[in-house]
Amino acid sequence: MIDSLVKFVKSEGFKKYFANTSWVIGEKILRIIAALVISVWVARYLGPDDFGTLNYAQSLVGLLTAISTLGLNGILVREILQNKVNTNKLIGTVFILQTIGSVVIMLSIFLFIYFTETAEITSKILIIFGAITFLQSFNVIESFFQSKVLSKYTVKSSVISLIISSILKILLIVYKFPLIYFAIVMFIENLVLVFGYVHYYNKKNDVNFSFSFSIKLAKSLLKDSWPLILSSIVVSIYMKIDQVMIKEMISSKAVGFYSAAVRLSEAWYFVPTVIGSSLFPAIMNAKKNSTKVYYERLQNLYDLMFLLAIVIAIPISLISKPLVQFLYGTEYLQSSEILTIHIWTGIFVFLGVSRSGWIIAENLQKFSTIYLSIGMVTNVTLNYIFINNYGITGAAYATLISQSVSVLFAPLIFKETRISFTMMFKSITLSTIIKKIFKK
């Protein structure tokens, strides 16, 4: 067995996938460092009010992103791998479909501005962020490189755009530029990313980036993607609605306090993704040979994720006030209370990411959309009630409760997924870990 493992590790296939994953992980770590340094600096400079306006506009446009992507990026990877259709025709068709989706988003933004009493600066930022969705249509190239296990090219583009945008943000702060320029820099960051994508695509491909469009292919792709579109809409509402509701029910300043805390809380969410993608192949291999070992390994993954989430949540909760004061300044002290609550959401995020591999392995994907829908309804309902009664602290509690409902309790409803609740409950109560300790 050891010889087989050594042989597998030395194989070209393993080296290729390991190198590809390493590029992705490296880019995520770099982005987290940038978020903790540059984003915090931007937040301090802008202050809660302007920082809240920026995040509100981003969240509002984020609610519409499902219309732009149309759930096609994952399907594009699948179609390229199956190699049934010309790659450039595939990429061109998806690109144009997503561009049409971006036109719909822009029209929606203009209608929103026209029919609501939106401040002039907010309107301008909304239009800039709407324009960014056109640039994000070029993410089809990222899907191409993903399908070819060549993520290093998209990572290189991403890192270059991150460095340029970070330098520009620093210059804006040093020379005291107003809020609108920070939105423009975010547009420039995406524009640089597009140039990088197109450059590497043309370099690695015999044919330059194609805009060819097939109506027949478009209909086929949309037929496959509509469940993903619905799922993406649910996710968008689930993830972005709190900041939009805080702005509409309280103020931009309140969004600034909330956003500052959420950024620190969510900075850790790459951890379960990286660990899950690394360990799940071993879990899947066990499924082929032994159901018992398969579920034992899955339980071990849940236990590990819960412990990691706790190790992060406890110290952050205890030092939230000095941490926020150190990073954001005294002006953001109200964010510390939000961080103390929101950081515990990580428990359910970590467990939910771990479960996603099991959902795919068991072909139970339809339940993911159901869970998210239940979580979305819970989140919107609780946000409305809690924000009215408890302000932005209520929004943090609404997120924590809705995540627990979506990840932990929703699987109880269905016989096929009830085991998921049982296993995660064992992790949360530490029952399997305690049994192992006493067994020894």
Side-chain angles (χ1 to χ4, degrees):
M1 184 178 177
I2 294 174
D3 290 340
S4 299
L5 182 62
V6 171
K7 188 176 180 181
F8 170 69
V9 169
K10 288 183 177 180
S11 68
E12 288 302 315
F14 175 82
K15 289 177 181 177
K16 183 179 181 181
Y17 282 97
F18 180 77
N20 189 68
T21 305
S22 299
W23 277 96
V24 175
I25 294 171
E27 188 257 348
K28 288 186 181 296
I29 292 171
L30 188 61
R31 282 202 170 271
I32 288 165
I33 294 169
L36 287 174
V37 178
I38 304 299
S39 295
V40 167
W41 197 2
V42 168
R44 287 180 72 115
Y45 170 75
L46 292 176
D49 203 350
D50 281 353
F51 187 61
T53 298
L54 194 68
N55 280 278
Y56 163 73
Q58 206 168 7
S59 295
L60 190 59
V61 174
L63 290 175
L64 304 170
T65 52
I67 299 171
S68 173
T69 61
L70 297 170
L72 288 170
N73 289 336
I75 289 174
L76 177 59
V77 172
R78 182 196 70 189
E79 293 297 315
I80 292 173
L81 287 171
Q82 289 180 351
N83 200 29
K84 293 178 181 177
V85 183
N86 178 272
T87 299
N88 284 288
K89 184 184 286 187
L90 262 173
I91 291 174
T93 300
V94 172
F95 174 83
I96 291 171
L97 284 173
Q98 291 186 342
T99 301
I100 293 169
S102 297
V103 172
V104 174
I105 287 179
M106 285 301 294
L107 290 173
S108 301
I109 290 170
F110 283 123
L111 287 172
F112 176 83
I113 293 169
Y114 182 78
F115 286 107
T116 60
E117 296 179 2
T118 308
E120 185 181 350
I121 183 65
T122 306
S123 299
K124 289 178 179 177
I125 293 172
L126 283 171
I127 292 169
I128 292 169
F129 286 161
I132 288 174
T133 64
F134 285 94
L135 299 179
Q136 289 172 342
S137 297
F138 284 89
N139 287 348
V140 293
I141 298 177
E142 182 181 15
S143 298
F144 167 79
F145 282 123
Q146 187 182 338
S147 68
K148 302 296 183 182
V149 199
L150 293 170
S151 292
K152 68 177 181 179
Y153 295 110
T154 56
V155 169
K156 284 179 180 179
S157 303
S158 180
V159 169
I160 291 168
S161 68
L162 179 62
I163 291 169
I164 291 173
S165 71
S166 297
I167 292 170
L168 289 174
K169 285 173 185 175
I170 291 169
L171 291 173
L172 294 183
I173 294 168
V174 170
Y175 292 101
K176 301 187 186 316
F177 277 76
L179 171 62
I180 189 68
Y181 287 93
F182 288 88
I184 293 170
V185 165
M186 293 174 77
F187 179 86
I188 292 171
E189 179 179 356
N190 282 272
L191 187 63
V192 172
L193 188 64
V194 166
F195 282 131
Y197 281 178
V198 173
H199 167 73
Y200 284 116
Y201 180 83
N202 290 341
K203 189 176 179 180
K204 294 300 293 182
N205 218 27
D206 294 333
V207 184
N208 285 352
F209 186 73
S210 172
F211 290 88
S212 62
F213 181 78
S214 165
I215 294 177
K216 183 180 177 182
L217 181 58
K219 288 179 179 178
S220 174
L221 290 169
L222 289 173
K223 184 181 177 182
D224 287 349
S225 72
W226 73 262
L228 296 175
I229 297 172
L230 293 177
S231 180
S232 296
I233 290 171
V234 170
V235 171
S236 296
I237 295 172
Y238 192 8
M239 299 302 292
K240 304 292 183 182
I241 196 64
D242 48 1
Q243 297 187 41
V244 174
M245 292 180 74
I246 289 170
K247 164 63 171 63
E248 299 302 330
M249 297 171 72
I250 307 178
S251 66
S252 294
K253 193 172 187 178
V255 178
F257 291 135
Y258 189 82
S259 301
V262 168
R263 291 200 176 205
L264 290 179
S265 179
E266 293 181 349
W268 308 94
Y269 288 2
F270 79 99
V271 174
T273 304
V274 171
I275 293 175
S277 61
S278 300
L279 297 181
F280 210 79
I283 295 172
M284 285 301 298
N285 284 332
K287 189 178 190 293
K288 299 173 186 175
N289 304 314
S290 169
T291 303
K292 183 184 176 184
V293 175
Y294 168 58
Y295 278 104
E296 280 178 356
R297 289 184 178 180
L298 186 60
Q299 184 66 62
N300 289 338
L301 179 61
Y302 286 144
D303 293 344
L304 174 63
M305 290 300 189
F306 175 74
L307 289 174
L308 286 172
I310 289 291
V311 166
I312 293 168
I314 291 175
I316 294 294
S317 294
L318 293 174
I319 65 166
S320 62
K321 193 170 182 179
L323 179 64
V324 167
Q325 188 168 6
F326 173 74
L327 291 174
Y328 291 108
T330 307
E331 197 176 6
Y332 280 90
L333 268 181
Q334 198 173 334
S335 300
S336 62
E337 190 177 353
I338 311 303
L339 180 59
T340 302
I341 300 162
H342 199 282
I343 192 69
W344 292 92
T345 305
I347 291 174
F348 304 106
V349 172
F350 278 44
L351 290 173
V353 171
S354 303
R355 186 186 61 199
S356 62
W358 174 77
I359 289 281
I360 294 169
E362 300 296 323
N363 197 26
L364 299 169
Q365 291 93 322
K366 65 178 181 180
F367 292 104
S368 289
T369 304
I370 296 171
Y371 300 155
L372 287 167
S373 300
I374 293 170
M376 179 197 70
V377 172
T378 304
N379 197 23
V380 173
T381 304
L382 291 181
N383 266 302
Y384 181 77
I385 297 168
F386 287 4
I387 292 172
N388 268 324
N389 290 285
Y390 310 109
I392 52 176
T393 305
Y397 278 118
T399 300
L400 177 60
I401 294 168
S402 62
Q403 280 282 6
S404 69
V405 168
S406 175
V407 173
L408 183 62
F409 296 109
L412 264 174
I413 301 171
F414 308 100
K415 183 182 176 182
E416 296 92 332
T417 61
R418 214 159 282 160
I419 189 173
S420 175
F421 166 82
T422 304
M423 296 180 76
M424 286 189 284
F425 188 76
K426 284 180 179 179
S427 295
I428 292 171
T429 56
L430 299 174
S431 61
T432 51
I433 295 172
I434 292 168
K435 280 182 182 178
K436 286 176 184 177
I437 292 170
F438 281 102
K439 226 175 184 181
K440 291 180 179 179

